[in-house]
Amino acid sequence: MNVTVNNGAAAGPEKAYRIGIDVGGTNTDAALLDSSLRCVHKVKVHTTADVNEGIVEAVRRLLQESGVDAADIRYAMLGTTHCTNAIVERKHLGRVGLIRIGAPATTAVPPLAGWDATLRAAIGPHSYMASGGYEYDGRKIAELDAAELAGLCRRMAGEVDAVALCGVFAPVNREQEKLAGDIVREVLGADMPVTFSSEIGSIGLLERENASVLNAALLQVIAGVVRGFEAALNGFGIDAQLYICQNDGTLMKSEYALRYPILTIACGPTNSIRGAAHLSGLSDALVVDIGGTTTDIGVLVQGFPRQSSAAVELGGIRTNFRMPDILSIGLGGGTIVRPDGPGGVTVGPDSVGYELTKRGRIFGGDTLTATDVAVRLGRAVWPGTDSAALDESACREADAVMQQLLEEAIDRMKTSAGDVDVILVGGGSILVPEKLAGAARIIKPDHYDAANAIGAALGEVSGESERIYSLDDWKYDDVIHDAKQNAMNEAAAAGADPETVQIVSVEDIPIAYLPGNALLVKVKAAGRL
Amino acid sequence: MNNTTRLTSLDEQAVEYIAVGAAVLGTGGGGDPHVGKLMALEAIRKYGPVAIVQLEYLGDEGLIVPVSMIGAPTVMLEKIPSAQQLTKPLDLLEKELGRPVTAVMPIEVGGGNSLVPVLAAAQRGIPLVDADAMGRAFPESQMVTFHLEGIPCSPVTMADERGNTALLHTIDGVWEERLARALTVEMGGSASICDYPLTGAEAKRSAIGGTLSLAYDIGRTLFEAKQQKLNPVQELLTQLDGYALFHGKAVDIRRRMDGGFTRGEAVFEGTGADKGRSLRLFFQNEFLLATVEDEPVAITPDLITLLDQDTGMPVTTENLKYGARVTVAGLRCDAKWRTAKGIETAGPRYFGYDLDYVPVETLAAKGGAAE
């Protein structure tokens, strides 16, 4: 961006707009925020089979309906479920050649152990174990064998779209991964994409390996996302800095996202939680996000989503990511209600999804949905529809089931027996009655149905610090303080307002029982643009 | 403890249950059960289900050998053993003793080591004994009931993944610990080891029987509680006759590598009924001491285990992260550990904590912890 201080002042802060877009399974939401982060306008369109069409439509309507000049948009943020869907549905994944560098160690558990057949098939047959790897103290387990690696690459030639390299103790020393990467590019071409496990995750070979393979498999998916987003914005004459949302509530520049698509996984729930915090002004509450197909419940703790303490599974694959702690249940606006189920009314878990306005009863369709029930009971008014023909007692029965589903889910996510504030967001919020057991207050903030897009637009810029300290020379507290300070400086250097920078995560890995007590410390900090 | 199952063979489902149960009994240590589980699953897929034998059916003259991994759990999350690494020390031991191994067993039921012998049993086609020498996990190799019974640890055999092997004749378990640990450091922080080779008669006398079945039952209880939507922590504590010492959230975790161990401490802020109080947890691979407001609530050799408040799943020393919401549970150790020699070997003073061992049930009665 090339804006002089004078121009910026003359334009006035209210003219520096940002667009946030959140692509979910059912809907694509977009919001336009002014420089004080007030929501100026929002739109909701169906997520289309070609996801980019929905994004174009959302931006088009946002500009047209708000009357804001495309030239005044400085930032554009995209949170998308493309990558999650690709893994869950095993669609559009690239074929990956995996080389684990660690033999003769690690052979008791071969690569991709625990992967199901469909995901293995999507990745392809090229997974190998090659000589190499490091000890915890930096010694080599074995030398890298260039001829062996070149041979493996030749076996993959023409049958892989990307290569993932995962060396034992690569987070401590990435040298062998880099050397192996050079060999991969020599044999398979300089433009062969390579994912290095040392850039993806920390200690935990199998989880890091899994995440690296998934990252490599997603490279084409994210390239399509970024290209589509750029083209959509360019088409409207928007010349903004592009950011892609990560699952910890921070942003990455689009050129960075092209290499690390795995970091976008599950950013949707994070965006909703961050948006809910912003819109409600609360910093501690449960956030209940009701979409078309599911309800995602997260916990807002001091303004950020609570992280899950369990190992995170993606499409059935164990990884070592930190992810927001989300409970997802099959209840949304399009959830199918069956009045004649075995043992009475049943609700879901299947949904008509984006076909709600075609298949829902009040829209003239033949399928009774959760939305039909809510409208029939007067909880919401949907202009131009008629719910009078629906059986009220069946609807009441269905409503009781839905309420119980929600109350149980809220109870499971609470940290204590006492009632908690519940922030309701998402288009499906109309399903919820005025009172729920376990909820002290139910808050439905303005723009509740665009919390995810607003959360995307709020996204903060992060900075990271990764350094090895010797605990013989440093006190632990000083180490952490220094690492935090470095990360905060990095965030500020990346464009974050220093006043708003906060620590997002702190991770320390003792890497040796060497003399010197070495400690690898990773800190991430983030602040507002 | 309400231990009802008596396993006769180990299939993939049993491995899944034991992995979870072993982590509960592992009191945070013993290595990541996940890696041990994957090794065992791989072995069963390749060689078929593994036969399990109960202690009482062992022939008195048989050669029973514990097989385990020694080293730092952090290392084993990263440097997984080689496929040949677990039978190498068995080969060397047979050569030294001049007779074949008739069955293998876990040295500790805790963590990954409970399932490590599965690969060796599967590769050799010999049974696995439903027993161990701790009834939990401990950080040092002399902390076994065999040592309490005066059974010699030697000959000891070790192997790394490269093919290096070592044969040790040490005068006692403390020297085994010292020498084996030094070799482990040189081997890269983890090694496979066979020690305390036993006759069947010695195993019957000194091992703690039925512990793999116990781990299986714990795992099954947690899975079934989840299926039936019961409170898994409550179900488990009822089954094990254990104590909920504290409910809290991890707010500070400090780990350091020191002499081959992951040592450190963690602080938990109370939630629910424990709001306003804090618990300190001290560990050396395993959780060894828990104090609330500086008063001990559970002391080694009793078991201290962390259970995820929502799922009841055990949380290990390695996987404990800031913000984890857990119930800190206390369980009685096997009676063999509550003897003078047991406490001398694995009690608080051995680990450098300046206090006397008091059984967890006595502390609970004093402090009013909920059973």
Side-chain angles (χ1 to χ4, degrees):
Chain A
M1 233 178 16
N2 223 340
V3 183
T4 67
V5 173
N6 275 342
N7 274 350
E14 71 279 2
K15 284 204 171 173
Y17 292 97
R18 55 174 75 192
I19 289 178
I21 298 175
D22 186 80
V23 180
T26 307
N27 290 311
T28 296
D29 291 280
L32 186 66
L33 272 62
D34 68 15
S35 60
S36 354
L37 301 180
R38 275 188 303 257
C39 179
V40 176
H41 193 63
K42 66 196 176 194
V43 299
K44 186 183 291 287
V45 304
H46 294 319
T47 298
T48 43
D50 172 3
V51 174
N52 293 331
E53 286 172 23
I55 295 176
V56 169
E57 174 65 6
V59 175
R60 188 189 66 74
R61 280 185 49 198
L62 208 54
L63 289 175
Q64 192 180 49
E65 294 169 18
S66 70
V68 165
D69 186 346
D72 289 332
I73 295 168
R74 300 282 157 76
Y75 307 110
M77 289 81 165
L78 176 67
T80 176
T81 185
H82 281 83
C83 290
T84 312
N85 287 359
I87 293 172
V88 172
E89 296 170 4
R90 280 91 162 111
K91 278 185 190 161
H92 313 300
L93 294 173
R95 298 163 301 167
V96 179
L98 165 67
I99 303 177
R100 181 196 289 171
I101 303 165
T106 77
T107 52
V109 182
L112 312 188
W115 286 46
D116 78 13
T118 58
L119 201 51
R120 276 174 188 257
I123 300 302
H126 294 291
S127 297
Y128 304 105
M129 292 186 276
S131 169
Y134 290 96
E135 303 285 7
Y136 66 89
D137 58 6
R139 282 182 294 155
K140 287 173 188 161
I141 293 173
E143 292 293 337
L144 215 55
D145 182 340
E148 180 189 23
L149 288 170
L152 295 177
C153 290
R154 280 191 292 273
R155 284 168 73 173
M156 300 175 185
E159 296 179 11
V160 297
D161 302 305
V163 172
L165 297 172
C166 183
V168 173
F169 276 111
V172 172
N173 188 340
R174 35 188 80 172
E175 180 73 20
Q176 285 186 344
E177 281 192 357
K178 294 290 175 210
L179 290 171
D182 293 343
I183 293 168
V184 169
R185 287 179 170 138
E186 253 168 52
V187 178
L188 296 175
D191 54 353
M192 172 58 69
V194 179
T195 292
F196 298 96
S197 84
S198 51
E199 295 179 352
I200 295 297
S202 64
I203 298 293
L205 178 78
L206 299 174
E207 291 81 1
R208 189 175 71 249
E209 181 176 89
N210 290 342
S212 301
V213 174
L214 292 176
N215 189 73
L218 290 168
L219 290 170
Q220 295 169 332
V221 175
I222 198 72
V225 170
V226 170
R227 274 198 306 271
F229 193 37
E230 279 171 353
L233 296 174
N234 288 341
F236 295 107
I238 297 172
D239 180 23
Q241 175 67 54
L242 305 195
Y243 292 96
I244 305 294
C245 299
Q246 303 184 59
N247 65 22
D248 62 2
T250 68
L251 299 169
M252 52 185 163
K253 284 193 175 172
S254 54
E255 49 271 33
Y256 188 86
L258 287 174
R259 285 161 55 206
Y260 307 110
I262 194 84
L263 302 179
T264 68
I265 297 290
C267 65
T270 300
N271 286 338
S272 288
I273 293 170
R274 301 265 303 148
H278 177 72
L279 292 172
S280 66
L282 294 177
S283 58
D284 294 274
L286 282 189
V287 177
V288 177
D289 179 6
I290 308 184
T293 307
T294 60
T295 294
D296 292 334
I297 302 181
V299 186
L300 183 63
V301 182
Q302 292 164 12
F304 276 88
R306 182 175 83 199
Q307 301 289 322
S308 169
S309 64
V312 174
E313 291 205 345
L314 283 179
I317 305 304
R318 185 160 132 149
T319 68
N320 56 356
F321 276 117
R322 290 194 55 149
M323 295 258 235
D325 188 5
I326 300 292
L327 176 64
S328 206
I329 59 171
L331 177 62
T335 296
I336 297 172
V337 175
R338 295 183 177 85
D340 308 315
V345 171
T346 66
V347 175
D350 47 346
S351 165
V352 298
Y354 64 89
E355 294 182 314
L356 173 63
T357 53
K358 249 190 287 178
R359 294 178 56 191
R361 287 284 301 275
I362 60 168
F363 305 101
D366 59 1
T367 310
L368 186 64
T369 68
T371 296
D372 296 318
V373 170
V375 171
R376 178 67 182 87
L377 299 180
R379 210 159 278 150
V381 177
W382 206 301
T385 64
D386 182 14
S387 64
L390 301 176
D391 175 2
E392 185 181 342
S393 72
C395 286
R396 292 221 174 276
E397 220 180 306
D399 186 53
V401 175
M402 283 153 52
Q403 183 168 343
Q404 197 188 350
L405 282 172
L406 273 176
E407 288 174 348
E408 276 176 13
I410 286 171
D411 192 53
R412 280 177 57 191
M413 291 302 279
K414 284 195 308 189
T415 47
S416 61
D419 288 353
V420 292
D421 286 339
V422 170
I423 310 170
L424 269 186
V425 295
S429 298
I430 55 165
L431 305 184
V432 181
E434 281 175 17
K435 282 192 176 151
L436 285 173
R441 294 182 291 171
I442 297 179
I443 297 131
K444 200 191 282 183
D446 287 346
H447 309 301
Y448 66 90
D449 55 346
N452 51 345
I454 291 166
L458 291 175
E460 305 194 339
V461 187
S462 61
E464 285 182 63
S465 164
E466 186 173 334
R467 235 194 97 173
I468 294 170
Y469 295 86
S470 163
L471 290 181
D472 281 358
D473 305 332
W474 290 73
K475 284 202 185 86
Y476 179 83
D477 291 334
D478 294 340
V479 165
I480 297 300
H481 179 77
D482 185 72
K484 283 181 175 175
Q485 201 57 52
N486 285 345
M488 290 165 74
N489 292 345
E490 288 291 318
D497 174 2
E499 296 289 308
T500 64
V501 173
Q502 288 182 45
I503 300 297
V504 179
S505 68
V506 180
E507 186 178 13
D508 59 66
I509 306 161
I511 58 167
Y513 35 107
L514 287 169
N517 263 322
L519 191 69
L520 174 69
V521 182
K522 292 183 179 181
V523 178
K524 188 166 191 173
R528 290 185 171 171
L529 280 165
Chain B
M1 302 186 191
N2 306 319
N3 186 194
T4 50
T5 299
R6 282 164 67 87
L7 290 169
T8 55
S9 84
L10 210 60
D11 57 12
E12 293 187 31
Q13 178 66 68
V15 166
E16 298 279 352
Y17 287 158
I18 290 174
V20 172
V24 172
L25 295 171
T27 64
D32 187 342
H34 185 65
V35 173
K37 180 180 88 174
L38 290 179
M39 283 168 53
L41 289 176
E42 199 60 34
I44 289 172
R45 270 179 217 134
K46 203 163 166 187
Y47 302 100
V50 168
I52 302 269
V53 58
Q54 297 298 321
L55 270 180
E56 60 264 38
Y57 299 128
L58 291 175
D60 282 351
E61 305 307 317
L63 176 59
I64 317 300
V65 179
V67 183
S68 56
M69 295 296 295
I70 175 173
T74 309
V75 170
M76 282 181 267
L77 285 178
E78 187 69 25
K79 191 176 74 164
I80 295 159
S82 80
Q84 294 75 36
Q85 203 176 341
L86 297 163
T87 46
K88 285 261 181 200
L90 285 180
D91 297 341
L92 184 56
L93 194 66
E94 286 182 333
K95 209 166 117 192
E96 173 68 8
L97 295 175
R99 56 197 178 111
V101 174
T102 49
V104 292
M105 65 177 283
I107 192 79
E108 55 187 334
V109 76
N113 266 339
S114 58
L115 290 166
V116 161
V118 175
L119 178 54
Q123 280 177 342
R124 281 299 196 87
I126 55 177
L128 179 65
V129 186
D130 186 4
D132 79 321
M134 297 189 191
R136 49 164 297 162
F138 273 124
E140 295 185 15
S141 52
Q142 79 282 5
M143 296 173 177
V144 287
T145 50
F146 307 143
H147 170 69
L148 305 183
E149 295 285 330
I151 293 167
C153 60
S154 291
V156 177
T157 56
M158 297 174 66
D160 72 5
E161 66 282 348
R162 295 173 178 83
N164 294 310
T165 58
L167 168 66
L168 304 177
H169 285 277
T170 63
I171 55 171
D172 60 25
V174 176
W175 273 100
E176 181 211 345
E177 169 62 33
R178 195 171 295 172
L179 298 180
R181 189 68 60 180
L183 272 175
T184 302
V185 171
E186 284 308 307
M187 286 177 166
S190 73
S192 57
I193 185 166
C194 292
D195 55 1
Y196 295 94
L198 306 155
T199 64
E202 285 171 329
K204 288 179 205 172
R205 189 177 88 227
S206 61
I208 303 174
T211 46
L212 282 175
S213 291
L214 173 64
Y216 174 94
D217 280 340
I218 292 171
R220 200 178 58 178
T221 298
L222 287 175
F223 277 97
E224 287 178 356
K226 188 179 171 189
Q227 268 177 357
Q228 296 163 19
K229 306 203 186 307
L230 300 168
N231 179 332
V233 174
Q234 195 52 54
E235 292 297 306
L236 195 61
L237 289 174
T238 304
Q239 188 207 4
L240 297 176
D241 203 8
Y243 299 87
L245 303 173
F246 196 78
H247 306 281
K249 177 186 125 175
V251 293
D252 190 21
I253 303 146
R254 296 181 185 192
R255 281 183 278 257
R256 64 202 153 86
M257 300 287 261
D258 184 4
F261 297 115
T262 305
R263 290 181 206 261
E265 62 176 278
V267 179
F268 298 82
E269 259 173 22
T271 54
D274 289 310
K275 207 169 173 60
R277 305 199 302 162
S278 69
L279 177 139
R280 293 180 95 79
L281 185 63
F282 298 85
F283 50 86
Q284 177 176 320
N285 288 10
E286 283 75 32
F287 306 126
L288 296 173
L289 172 65
T291 63
V292 173
E293 307 296 307
D294 292 332
E295 288 296 320
V297 291
I299 306 171
T300 177
D302 283 331
L303 288 72
I304 302 167
T305 194
L306 298 187
L307 303 172
D308 181 281
Q309 278 181 6
D310 294 328
T311 64
M313 289 294 167
V315 180
T316 64
T317 313
E318 297 309 305
N319 293 335
L320 180 60
K321 285 183 175 164
Y322 175 88
R325 294 174 313 128
V326 298
T327 294
V328 184
L331 308 172
R332 296 178 184 87
C333 61
D334 189 85
K336 287 186 166 75
W337 289 114
R338 292 185 164 188
T339 59
K341 190 163 185 193
I343 290 163
E344 182 198 331
T345 304
R349 292 193 191 280
Y350 181 85
F351 293 103
Y353 306 116
D354 186 22
L355 54 113
D356 289 323
Y357 169 73
V358 181
V360 63
E361 61 271 25
T362 310
L363 292 171
K366 206 170 65 179
E371 183 159 354

